[in-house]
Amino acid sequence: MCDMFTPTPPSLLPDPLVLPVAIQSFLAGILVALGFLSALAHRTLSDSPFRKAGLFGLMAAATWISFSDIAASLLHAWLVPATHPVSLVLAGATLIVWERLTADLLAASAPAQSMALGRRLTALGAGMISLAALVPWEPSYRLSTFLFGLLVALLAILTLQAGLRAHRDGLGSAKAVVVAGLAQLVCVATLGAVFAGWISRATSMAVLQFAILTFALALGWVTLSRLKDLRRATEAAQTDQLAAANRHALELESLVQMRNAELSARLSDLGDARRAAELANDGLQRALDELEQAAATDRLTGAWNRRRFEEAVLAELALAQRRRDPLSLVMFDLDHFKRVNDTHGHGAGDAVLVGLVQCVRKHLRASDSIIRWGGEEFLVMIPATHLEGALALAEKMRGAVAAIEFPGIGQVTMSLGVAQYAPGESLSAWIERADQALYGAKAAGRNCTQAAPMPERTAGALTGRTLLEVVWDETYESGNALIDKQHQRLFHLANSLMAVLTEETPMAEVSLRLESLLAHAAQHFHDEEALLRVAHYPDLAHHGTVHAGLLTRARQLQKEVRAGQLDLGKLVAFLAVDLIKGHLLTEDQNYFEHLRSVSSDAPSA
């Protein structure tokens, strides 16, 4: 690395400028530009190597300025001698950043990674030795200069060797690292030669500038290559997500079309048509429920995943707010689970997680839910239960798990944190209190349970999530089992969609949820119109026109979501105002009395 050099003692430097300051400043400007460009790339892409490359470019520029004639042209004459020890210290710091950057660039190569510790120790040693140059004693300065030069040469050789190993592994950035390592060796050799008096300073400065320029080009090469790799990876991930969403949407649309065709063919006979419609709808509902169950369940343990929990907890929070019922949460994870994976393998660790969930389920009620929160961390949501009851349940689970003897592993223990929901508290704050209690149990020695204290009540506070929730009420029922079941299903799907809109959810998932809602709405409108046609509802034509308008607006919103043009306000207004309040709770209420009167006029069996 060209700016990581051993500064030539002031006694060996000639008085006149060797190379024009403008040329030297141009090279410093290139390094500064590379540093700022890398920093901007890191700000946009949040990629660690770009941050380190930006820091390296700026520090390398500072080192070159302090070593070259640029500092001499800007400072008073009595300050010039101090620039050489400063340049050595800056070079040591830059050397450490360079080692960290190359470690990231070569991380994908196992042979190169085997040399990482040696390169890190060499860089740290050089950085510490460079500090001795600040001691105002000539022997100390010369000794630190000599030792620093040896360590820089050693690091250059190690980096070159690591780059060659990574190149044999097929790593794309290895070539640039090799070129940079060669340029670093050239810098060290040139500075050693001028220090020994073998070449003139004019020659050394020319060689140094050429080597530094080569190094800067190699650094720019690495930056461009990484940008291309990140762009390709991002495009591939987006393509896969969109393809999966489109396939799922086509499957749902195919199911809806198939069921509609079956219903249309059987509507000629009133009794058979109604029974066939109910059977078809039940079959579709089971298929969709199975799809949703698969998407909402952790594949390994069978516990709920985060998505399913976030959907279900909305209703529980709304119920707790409205009825003032208690609601508690237990967060737990296994103690020293990493040791199980490291000692017995991940297969044994997976078996422990499966056995853990099976054991915990035996102590839960039907209304309780277990959620895999991440890794070996789980949640248990316990409705209608105060803190004391949740603590008792947590202790029961802890004792049951500790009593299990896992084959080949033995006993495992877990730590638990318990928190009761406080009215007006946000979901994230509730989970955070349970998490803090879990950390308290860990700190207390593990294999124990701790309770989170209740927060101070905030008058009039509401959770951010429940502001976008529509709650089903018994007064909304029409008396027809099929219609009421479909209405409740649309309430649930609208709540689920509005819940993900309040978070940074990928557009593909938003599109998929909207597509599911659209399919259910289309099926419901079809079944509702068939029922009203048989009941001779006088405003059926107007009702069908309203249905068509709602479906048209929903499909337009789906197009905007797929195009990445989601308007959050427009979508929420459609769900809460147009579909739920304007139609299900207002327009549909108009035919309830008509259906009841038709049912009361029918002859009894």
Side-chain angles (χ1 to χ4, degrees):
M1 186 176 60
C2 304
D3 44 80
M4 294 180 184
F5 44 74
T6 308
T8 305
S11 59
L12 299 180
L13 294 175
D15 291 335
L17 299 179
V18 178
L19 289 174
V21 174
I23 297 178
Q24 299 177 25
S25 300
F26 175 73
L27 183 56
I30 291 178
L31 292 172
V32 171
L34 281 173
F36 277 116
L37 285 175
S38 299
L40 289 174
H42 168 69
R43 183 178 179 85
T44 303
L45 302 173
S46 298
D47 189 54
S48 177
F50 285 126
R51 175 174 57 83
K52 294 173 183 176
L55 180 60
F56 170 77
L58 296 177
M59 293 186 67
T63 306
W64 172 248
I65 290 172
S66 63
F67 173 77
S68 64
D69 297 319
I70 301 174
S73 66
L74 297 176
L75 302 175
H76 291 291
W78 62 275
L79 288 176
V80 171
T83 61
H84 303 292
V86 171
S87 69
L88 191 67
V89 175
L90 289 174
T94 309
L95 190 70
I96 295 173
V97 177
W98 165 246
E99 186 278 326
R100 291 286 77 210
L101 174 60
T102 55
D104 284 351
L105 296 176
L106 303 178
S109 171
Q113 278 295 93
S114 65
M115 304 178 63
L117 180 60
R119 291 191 294 114
R120 182 180 301 180
L121 293 177
T122 303
L124 290 175
M128 295 177 64
I129 288 175
S130 67
L131 295 175
L134 297 177
V135 178
W137 188 41
E138 184 69 16
S140 173
Y141 176 81
R142 288 183 174 276
L143 179 60
S144 63
T145 300
F146 176 73
L147 293 177
F148 182 77
L150 291 180
L151 289 178
V152 172
L154 177 59
L155 180 62
I157 293 171
L158 291 176
T159 302
L160 183 61
Q161 186 179 359
L164 291 174
R165 290 185 178 184
H167 177 61
R168 286 194 292 270
D169 275 357
L171 191 63
S173 58
K175 293 181 180 179
V177 173
V178 170
V179 172
L182 290 174
Q184 183 179 350
L185 282 175
V186 170
C187 289
V188 174
T190 301
L191 291 169
V194 73
F195 189 85
W198 295 342
I199 60 175
S200 66
R201 186 167 186 267
T203 303
S204 70
M205 291 297 287
V207 174
L208 282 175
Q209 290 198 110
F210 176 76
I212 289 176
L213 182 60
T214 302
F215 194 90
L217 292 175
L219 187 62
W221 180 10
V222 169
T223 302
L224 290 176
S225 298
R226 192 159 187 87
L227 280 172
K228 291 180 181 178
D229 292 342
L230 290 175
R231 185 185 63 188
R232 284 195 294 266
T234 301
E235 290 176 350
Q238 291 176 346
T239 300
D240 292 343
Q241 290 179 351
L242 290 176
N246 287 333
R247 286 195 301 271
H248 195 70
L250 289 174
E251 291 173 1
L252 290 175
E253 185 176 356
S254 176
L255 283 173
V256 172
Q257 291 177 351
M258 179 180 66
R259 299 305 184 194
N260 285 341
E262 293 177 359
L263 290 172
S264 298
R266 294 167 183 167
L267 279 175
S268 57
D269 185 279
L270 173 59
D272 291 342
R274 292 185 65 178
R275 286 191 294 271
E278 291 176 359
L279 289 173
N281 188 72
D282 288 341
L284 174 61
Q285 188 63 58
R286 284 194 301 271
L288 291 175
D289 288 343
E290 291 174 0
L291 289 174
E292 289 195 4
Q293 179 66 20
T297 304
D298 177 55
R299 292 183 179 180
L300 175 65
T301 63
W304 285 1
N305 57 21
R306 285 197 178 199
R307 170 186 167 186
R308 179 68 181 92
F309 169 71
E310 290 171 354
E311 291 176 355
V313 76
L314 288 177
E316 294 295 344
L317 289 176
L319 197 61
Q321 292 274 25
R322 187 168 65 251
R323 297 183 179 178
R324 300 189 180 277
D325 286 344
L327 177 63
S328 295
L329 188 70
V330 177
M331 177 177 283
F332 65 88
D333 71 358
L334 290 173
D335 299 328
H336 306 297
F337 183 71
K338 184 177 184 297
R339 188 183 304 164
V340 175
N341 281 332
D342 293 343
T343 304
H344 304 282
H346 289 278
D350 290 347
V352 170
L353 293 178
V354 173
L356 167 70
V357 172
Q358 291 174 349
C359 177
V360 169
R361 272 209 176 101
K362 295 177 182 179
H363 300 279
L364 300 182
R365 303 169 302 180
S367 59
D368 301 336
S369 308
I370 182 170
I371 303 97
R372 188 175 184 183
W373 195 242
E376 73 275 17
E377 198 169 53
F378 293 81
L379 294 177
V380 175
M381 183 171 61
I382 316 170
T385 303
H386 289 284
L387 182 62
E388 294 77 11
L391 280 170
L393 176 61
E395 274 300 289
K396 187 183 297 183
M397 293 188 300
R398 184 189 64 79
V401 171
I404 299 176
E405 188 76 21
F406 290 92
I409 297 174
Q411 292 179 317
V412 296
T413 62
M414 63 181 184
S415 302
L416 306 93
V418 183
Q420 180 179 335
Y421 174 70
E425 185 179 29
S426 68
L427 176 61
S428 60
W430 184 31
I431 295 175
E432 176 62 20
R433 287 198 298 115
D435 191 48
Q436 290 300 319
L438 171 59
Y439 273 105
K442 294 284 188 182
R446 296 183 170 86
N447 192 21
C448 63
T449 303
Q450 283 206 5
M454 292 290 285
E456 295 183 2
R457 297 172 61 92
T458 303
L462 291 174
T463 63
R465 295 289 299 274
T466 56
L467 292 177
L468 294 179
E469 181 187 11
V470 286
V471 181
W472 175 262
D473 191 90
E474 296 178 355
T475 59
Y476 302 155
E477 294 180 356
S478 66
N480 182 277
L482 174 63
I483 296 301
D484 291 339
K485 184 177 181 181
Q486 291 179 345
H487 279 182
Q488 292 181 44
R489 186 63 178 170
L490 289 175
F491 266 66
H492 171 72
L493 292 175
N495 280 330
S496 298
L497 181 54
M498 288 190 291
V500 301
L501 291 176
T502 63
E503 303 173 354
E504 296 180 0
T505 305
M507 282 294 178
E509 183 174 349
V510 174
S511 177
L512 182 59
R513 289 175 182 262
L514 181 56
E515 187 69 34
S516 178
L517 175 70
L518 180 58
H520 278 83
Q523 181 68 52
H524 166 63
F525 293 163
H526 179 278
D527 294 347
E528 189 176 72
E529 290 176 20
L531 177 64
L532 296 179
R533 187 179 299 110
V534 172
H536 302 291
Y537 180 55
D539 292 332
L540 176 60
H542 170 72
H543 205 71
T545 302
V546 174
H547 285 168
L550 288 171
L551 291 177
T552 299
R553 287 201 295 277
R555 293 189 181 101
Q556 180 59 38
L557 288 169
Q558 178 68 299
K559 290 180 182 178
E560 294 176 3
V561 170
R562 288 177 177 173
Q565 301 172 351
L566 171 62
D567 186 329
L568 178 62
K570 185 189 296 184
L571 183 52
V572 170
F574 171 77
L575 295 172
V577 179
D578 297 341
L579 179 62
I580 301 299
K581 182 179 179 181
H583 186 68
L584 299 184
L585 301 183
T586 302
E587 182 68 30
D588 281 1
Q589 296 280 335
N590 295 332
Y591 67 75
F592 286 2
E593 286 300 326
H594 181 80
L595 284 183
R596 294 189 184 105
S597 64
V598 171
S599 300
S600 62
D601 292 340
S604 58

